[in-house]
């Protein structure tokens, strides 16, 4: 688990450095990282972990309030032994509904924040790398990955 935590923190640090250096300024969603980037960030991190021999699953959960008019999705990674890896949880830091969750990196067992999101079996799939993604998002994510990876020492 130490290796996973180290690698995940390295990747998140590289994401922050790339963002602060303007690498994402022209990207359709990453210009606002971490807000609204959980799915893409999870795919990018999964690629990085895969290159280090760590297989993960992509998880997308949904939150519905009592009115069922307001919903929110959130994505993260999961290891085979049920360890959650989330590098965009801090996008919820200003929202009390989501416990003002302010962790930029979370590696651990399911916590109260992640329990807020309903996850069905169809919302979980194994990551097989960026090259296995559809042609609509693959070129963009590969370009983002190249921009991020150069900030890893």
């Amino acid at each position: 688990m130490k290796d996973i935590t180290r690698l995940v923190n390295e990747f998140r640090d590289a994401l922050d450095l790339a963002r602060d250096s303007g690498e994402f300024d022209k990207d359709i969603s990453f210009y606002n990282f971490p807000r609204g980037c959980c799915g893409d960030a999870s795919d990018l991190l999964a690629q990085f972990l895969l290159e280090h021999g760590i297989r993960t699953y992509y998880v997308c959960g949904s939150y519905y309030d009592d009115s069922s008019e307001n919903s929110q999705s959130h994505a993260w990674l999961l290891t085979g032994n049920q360890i959650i890896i989330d590098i965009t949880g801090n996008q919820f830091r200003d929202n009390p509904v989501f416990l003002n969750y302010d962790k930029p990196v979370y590696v651990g067992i399911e916590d109260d924040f992640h329990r807020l999101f309903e996850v069905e079996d169809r919302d979980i799939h194994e990551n097989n790398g960026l090259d296995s993604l559809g042609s609509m998002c693959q070129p963009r994510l590969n370009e983002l990955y190249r921009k991020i990876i150069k900030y890893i020492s």
Side-chain angles (χ1 to χ4, degrees), residues 9-121:
N9 278 298
E10 276 181 25
F11 194 79
R12 174 58 200 247
D13 289 346
L15 273 165
D16 289 336
L17 288 168
R19 178 201 56 216
D20 295 347
S21 297
E23 298 280 1
F24 307 146
D25 287 354
K26 294 183 177 156
D27 186 79
I28 192 165
S29 63
F30 256 71
Y31 74 93
N32 205 17
F33 181 83
R35 290 195 189 280
C37 299
C38 53
D40 288 345
S42 293
D43 284 333
L44 293 163
L45 175 60
Q47 175 67 36
F48 181 68
L49 293 174
L50 192 60
E51 290 175 3
H52 287 86
I54 300 167
R55 298 199 69 79
T56 58
Y57 296 86
Y58 178 97
V59 177
C60 185
S62 298
Y63 169 84
Y64 304 97
D65 69 6
D66 293 335
S67 71
S68 73
E69 290 178 16
N70 293 322
S71 67
Q72 173 71 50
S73 64
H74 185 51
W76 59 87
L77 300 179
L78 189 66
T79 66
N81 57 351
Q82 304 301 302
I83 298 298
I84 289 174
I85 304 169
D86 187 344
I87 59 170
T88 61
N90 62 322
Q91 68 181 301
F92 297 100
R93 69 180 165 267
D94 297 324
N95 192 330
V97 170
F98 296 102
L99 312 175
N100 295 101
Y101 200 76
D102 64 353
K103 294 178 175 82
V105 172
Y106 180 75
V107 178
I109 60 172
E110 187 178 55
D111 58 2
D112 290 340
F113 169 71
H114 291 92
R115 271 188 217 97
L116 292 172
F117 298 90
E118 290 180 28
V119 178
E120 297 182 22
D121 287 344

